[in-house]
Structure formats: structure tokens, C-alpha cells
Amino acid sequence: MDTNPENLAKQVEETVKNPGNPPLDQWHPELSGDMDLRISRNGQWVFKGEPLAREAIVRLFSTILRREEDGEYYLVTPVEKWRIQVEDTPLLAHSLRVAGEGDHQVISLTTNVGETLEIGQNHPLEVGTYPGSEEPRPVVTVRHGLEARLVTAAYYDLAEHVVERNEDGHPVLGVFSHGIFYKIGQGG
């Protein structure tokens, strides 16, 4: 099997003629093997030790990437399935925008592959911490088990919209988007 990103991209482009994201939930090929492709914590896609130079390939691959129940990440086509390595999250979220106010506001982010996500039922926000540290790990669910981690600037922008509310007698900090309250931390 050929693990060259250019060749895999051509195969995907020929398979997926319709606009939008491919129907990954309908594709279930056997594992083709491990591809020497790694997505670093800073969002760089590295093939055989070299950054993928073509942004179009990265954008295309992001549409055929999924995380399965085993916790592993795979590039999937109708006939091939390649396991890849992801250091943190496969996507990064930046360019935070807020429309509206209070519990009626809508928070949107743009990912490093140009996709716009609105925090809400389809793209919930979760703020955890990295194992063994107190460093916040804010992520938004994208699709097919994928997450986009908010870059530091976007997280600071998000902090400007934090409100405190009372839950079960305890102050909680969070943000509203699409009428849903997303907890970020404990209040004072």
C-alpha cells in the first residue's frame, strides 16, 4: 500500500466529489497499517519527519480523520484505513468571536484548517487539565471523535466572557453559548 500523502489525497479527491465532509461513519475498511504521519501539539502535520508543505492536503486529511473507540486516530477512505499519531488534539481552534450577549450569546471559533465551529450542542466545550498539571486544556468537540484545542489567545478571549453562576450552592465560572452553560472552573 502507498502511504504517500499526495497519492492518498488524490484517491480521496476522486472518491469524494460532493461538497462538505465525507461520510466517514459509512466507511469501515480493514486497517491498512501505520502511516508515518504525526500531528504535533502545535498543530503541525509531519510526514516522515518533514512538515506537510501543502495546506490543501492537511485540510483534506482533516476531513477523513477520525478517532475510534480504541482512542487511536485514523485516516479513512472507503478502501483504506491508516493509523496516525496525534500528540494532543488533531486540530487547533483560534479566532474566537462572540455574537449576542448573556445566555443568548453564540461563541464561534475557526480551526487551523479553516472550519468554523459554534460552541453548542454539536460542538460542546470542555475545559479540563493536562495529566499531572494544572495547565488548562480547553477543547471543542468537532466530529467523529475529534477535538480542537483552543490556542492560548483564544482561551484568553474566552475568559473575557466568563460569568459566575450558582450551581448546587457553589459558585461556578463558565460561558454561555447557544443557551448552554459550559463550566470552566470554580468561582470565588
Side-chain angles (χ1 to χ4, degrees), residues 29-33 66 68 74-76 79-83:
E30 292 295 318
L31 180 64
S32 302
R66 74 178 175 212
E68 296 189 355
Y74 299 92
L75 292 175
V76 182
V79 295
E80 291 183 289
K81 177 177 165 181
W82 295 95
R83 183 176 20 240

Side-chain angles (χ1 to χ4, degrees), residues 106-119:
V106 174
I107 300 171
S108 61
L109 299 151
T110 302
T111 69
N112 58 319
V113 293
E115 186 173 358
T116 299
L117 307 171
E118 289 185 358
I119 295 174

Side-chain angles (χ1 to χ4, degrees), residues 102-103 105-108 118-120 175-182:
D103 60 353
Q105 73 186 7
V106 174
I107 300 171
S108 61
E118 289 185 358
I119 295 174
V175 295
F176 280 98
S177 187
H178 279 287
I180 302 170
F181 183 76
Y182 294 96

Side-chain angles (χ1 to χ4, degrees), residues 48-59:
K48 293 186 176 180
E50 296 293 324
L52 281 178
R54 290 191 45 213
E55 185 177 325
I57 290 179
V58 171
R59 285 179 185 248

Side-chain angles (χ1 to χ4, degrees), residues 30-58:
E30 292 295 318
L31 180 64
S32 302
D34 292 314
M35 181 183 281
D36 188 2
L37 179 64
R38 176 180 52 84
I39 304 173
S40 68
R41 184 173 173 183
N42 70 2
Q44 188 170 54
W45 294 53
V46 180
F47 178 67
K48 293 186 176 180
E50 296 293 324
L52 281 178
R54 290 191 45 213
E55 185 177 325
I57 290 179
V58 171

